[in-house]
Amino acid sequence: MLSPTSGPSPLAPDWLSLPDDPNALRAQEWAHDVVRHPAGELAIDGLSVQQLAEEFGSPLFVLSEADFRRRAREFRNAFDEAFAELGGGVDVYYAGKSFLCTEVARWVMDEGLRLDTCSGGELLVAQRAGVPGAKLGLHGNNKSDAEIRRALDLGVGRIVADSLPEIQRIESIAAASGRIAKVMLRLTPGVHAHTHEFIATAHEDQKFGLSLAGSDGPSPAEQAVLAATAAEHIELLGIHCHIGSQIFESEGFAVAAQRLLGFSAKMKSRYGVELGELDLGGGYGIAYTEADNPRPTAEIAREMAAVVAEECTRLALPAPRISIEPGRAIVGPSTFTLYRVGTVKTVVVDGAAGPAERRYLSVDGGMSDNPRPVLYDADYSAVLANRASSAAPVLSRVVGKHCESGDIVVRDAYLPGDVRAGDLLAVPATGAYCWVLASNYNYLPRPAVVAVRDGAARVIVRAETEEDLLSRDPGA
Ligand SMILES: *Cc1c(COP(=O)(O)O)cnc(C)c1O
C-alpha cells in the first residue's frame, strides 16, 4: 500500500493552508470549552472524547450547553445595547429549525430569547418544552390549516404570513375559533446574501414572501397590508424579511432594512397604517474552516442599528420594535461531531501538475448525519481527537460509509499522516442544519445528541436503534 506523502498538496484548495501543528484547534470553529489536553486528547469541559464515544457511541453530536447559552446571551446583549438608543426594543428569536429539542427550547427561554418555529412538529416540541405561546413565532410558505390552528390554540406571539391567500386563511381560522391572530408579513426586499456577497435587485424569484415590487397597481406587499388591516381577526404587528444565510457583513441587512422602512413610511403616509415591528431575520455567519472570519456580533448589531436609526430619522418614522432570528450563529459552533475512523486508503489522482495523492479516511457516519457537504458543497474541518500526533500532515478527505461516492464529510483537511482505524475524528461547527437534516439512508440509525455541562454529559436526544427504524415497517 502507498504511504501518504506529507506536506503541501497540489490537490488542496487555495484557501487551505498547511498547518504548522495539525493538533491545534482554531478557536473560532469550536465551543469555548473544548481543549486539547496536554496528554493529547480532545476534551470538553473536562470530559475526554474517548469517554464520550465509549459511553454514547459514535457518530455522536456533542453540544456544549455553556457555549450555546453564551452565544444566545451574546446576541441578546449585543442587539439590546446596539438598539438601546433607538428605544423601540429588541426581541431575539432563536431559529428552531437549525436545531431543536425540548432541552434546547428551555435553554432558549432561560436566556431570555424567543423561539421561531416553522411547522406543527416544531410547535409541538416548543409546547412539550413548556414554552409560553406568547414567546413563539410560526413561519412557513405553506402552513396547513392544522398548523395555523395549533399556533392560535397555543396563543403564539406571531404568525409570519407569507402570501395573500394565507392572510385570508388565518383570518377565517381565527374567526372560527374566536381569536385574534397576531401577524407579521414576510416581505421580499430584493436582497440576497450568501457568504461574502450580497445582491440587491428590484424583483424576487423565489417561493418565500410578498414582493415589494408591483408591475402595475399595488405590490403584493401593499395588498397584504390592506388585507391584514381590514381583517377583523388579525392584528397586524409589522413586517419581516430574511435575506439569506451564512452572512458575514452588515450591508445586506442594511439594504433590506432601508427597503422595509421605506415601505413602512409609504404605508403610513398612504393609509395611515403604522407597522410597529421590523424583523430583519437571521443568517449570521459562522466559521466552518479557516476560510471563514465572522465579525463580532456586537459590531454587526451596531452597524444595523445605525442604519435603522438613520432611516427612521430621514423618514420621520417612530422607532420600530426590532426582532432578529439567529439560528446557525447560536447553535452551530456549540457542537462537534465525533466519528470513528475505519478504512484508510490513499489514491493517486491525476492533478493539473501530474499525479498526486489523496488520502481517504472513512468514518462511521456521513451524509446521513451531515448532508450539508452534499446539499450545499459545504466545507468543514476536522482534527484527530483521541490523541495528538507528531506525524506530518497529509491532505485528507473524510468520507462516510454510505453507498454514494459524493458521501463526503470533510472535503479537504490536513490531518496527521498516522491516522489509523480506531482513531476518533472530531468535526467542529456541526450544531446547525446537521442533526435536523439527518436521514436514515442505508438504514443507519440517527446519532444521539449529548449536552455537556459542568463536567457531565447527558443525552438530550437519544440515538435511534435499528428497532426504531423497523418499527414503522408492519412486515418487519
Ligand atoms: C432559516 C431562517 C432563519 C435562521 O437562519 P440562520 O442562518 O440559521 O441564522 C431565520 N429566519 C428565517 C425566516 C429562516 O428561514
Side-chain angles (χ1 to χ4, degrees), residues 75 93-98 116 118 139-140 160 186 208 240-247 279-285 324-331 432-433:
F75 264 96
Y93 284 77
Y94 169 66
K97 73 174 203 242
S98 59
D116 256 340
C118 53
H139 276 282
V160 183
R186 178 163 180 169
F208 289 113
H240 169 283
C241 66
H242 172 69
I243 60 170
S245 212
Q246 193 56 356
I247 299 166
D279 190 317
L280 295 171
Y284 305 89
I324 56 161
E325 306 171 327
R328 185 193 312 268
I330 292 176
V331 72
Y433 308 109

Side-chain angles (χ1 to χ4, degrees), residues 36-314:
R36 195 179 283 282
H37 271 168
E41 193 178 353
L42 220 62
I44 170 165
D45 203 11
L47 293 176
S48 84
V49 291
Q50 197 107 257
Q51 267 172 279
L52 290 169
E54 265 159 38
E55 187 172 350
F56 302 105
S58 62
L60 183 68
F61 287 99
V62 183
L63 195 173
S64 161
E65 179 176 341
D67 192 83
F68 181 102
R69 287 177 180 269
R70 194 153 121 167
R71 289 176 204 274
R73 263 198 308 275
E74 190 182 315
F75 264 96
R76 213 183 41 134
N77 292 339
F79 279 80
D80 274 350
E81 275 167 35
F83 282 89
E85 227 172 277
L86 202 69
V90 181
D91 295 312
V92 180
Y93 284 77
Y94 169 66
K97 73 174 203 242
S98 59
F99 177 75
L100 190 64
C101 62
T102 55
E103 183 77 26
V104 160
R106 289 186 196 109
W107 303 344
V108 167
M109 290 302 112
D110 283 352
E111 298 303 336
L113 278 65
R114 298 176 176 219
L115 178 62
D116 256 340
T117 63
C118 53
S119 71
E122 289 179 6
L123 278 176
L124 188 58
V125 176
Q127 184 185 7
R128 292 286 172 85
V131 177
K135 297 281 171 76
L136 291 171
L138 176 67
H139 276 282
N141 66 303
N142 188 23
K143 304 172 190 76
S144 68
D145 288 0
E147 287 170 329
I148 293 169
R149 210 169 288 120
R150 179 175 282 176
L152 291 175
D153 289 348
L154 286 172
V156 296
R158 61 190 201 180
I159 298 177
V160 183
D162 204 277
S163 68
L164 284 163
E166 190 182 280
I167 293 169
Q168 304 308 338
R169 285 200 300 127
I170 294 171
E171 166 62 16
S172 57
I173 295 167
S177 57
R179 298 180 201 275
I180 301 293
K182 294 185 170 163
V183 166
M184 297 279 284
L185 301 175
R186 178 163 180 169
L187 308 187
T188 49
V191 178
H192 296 274
H194 186 66
T195 14
H196 306 287
E197 293 166 68
F198 85 92
I199 311 163
T201 60
H203 288 268
E204 292 281 347
D205 184 7
Q206 52 130 324
K207 70 172 186 171
F208 289 113
L210 293 146
S211 179
L212 286 176
S215 41
D216 42 20
S219 66
E222 190 166 343
Q223 292 175 49
V225 167
L226 294 176
T229 45
E232 272 178 49
H233 300 86
I234 287 179
E235 178 189 346
L236 179 60
L237 301 177
I239 49 180
H240 169 283
C241 66
H242 172 69
I243 60 170
S245 212
Q246 193 56 356
I247 299 166
F248 290 97
E249 296 297 334
S250 63
E251 301 116 277
F253 295 117
V255 172
Q258 280 163 351
R259 290 188 174 177
L260 260 58
L261 288 167
F263 177 78
S264 277
K266 199 158 90 180
M267 294 304 96
K268 192 177 167 203
S269 67
R270 215 171 265 182
Y271 308 110
V273 174
E274 299 236 359
L275 297 167
E277 297 197 25
L278 175 66
D279 190 317
L280 295 171
Y284 305 89
I286 64 166
Y288 286 102
T289 70
E290 63 181 288
D292 301 321
N293 286 302
R295 302 208 1 251
T297 309
E299 273 180 40
I300 302 265
R302 276 197 296 273
E303 289 167 13
M304 287 166 69
V307 169
V308 171
E310 192 184 307
E311 285 300 294
C312 286
T313 306
R314 196 174 66 78

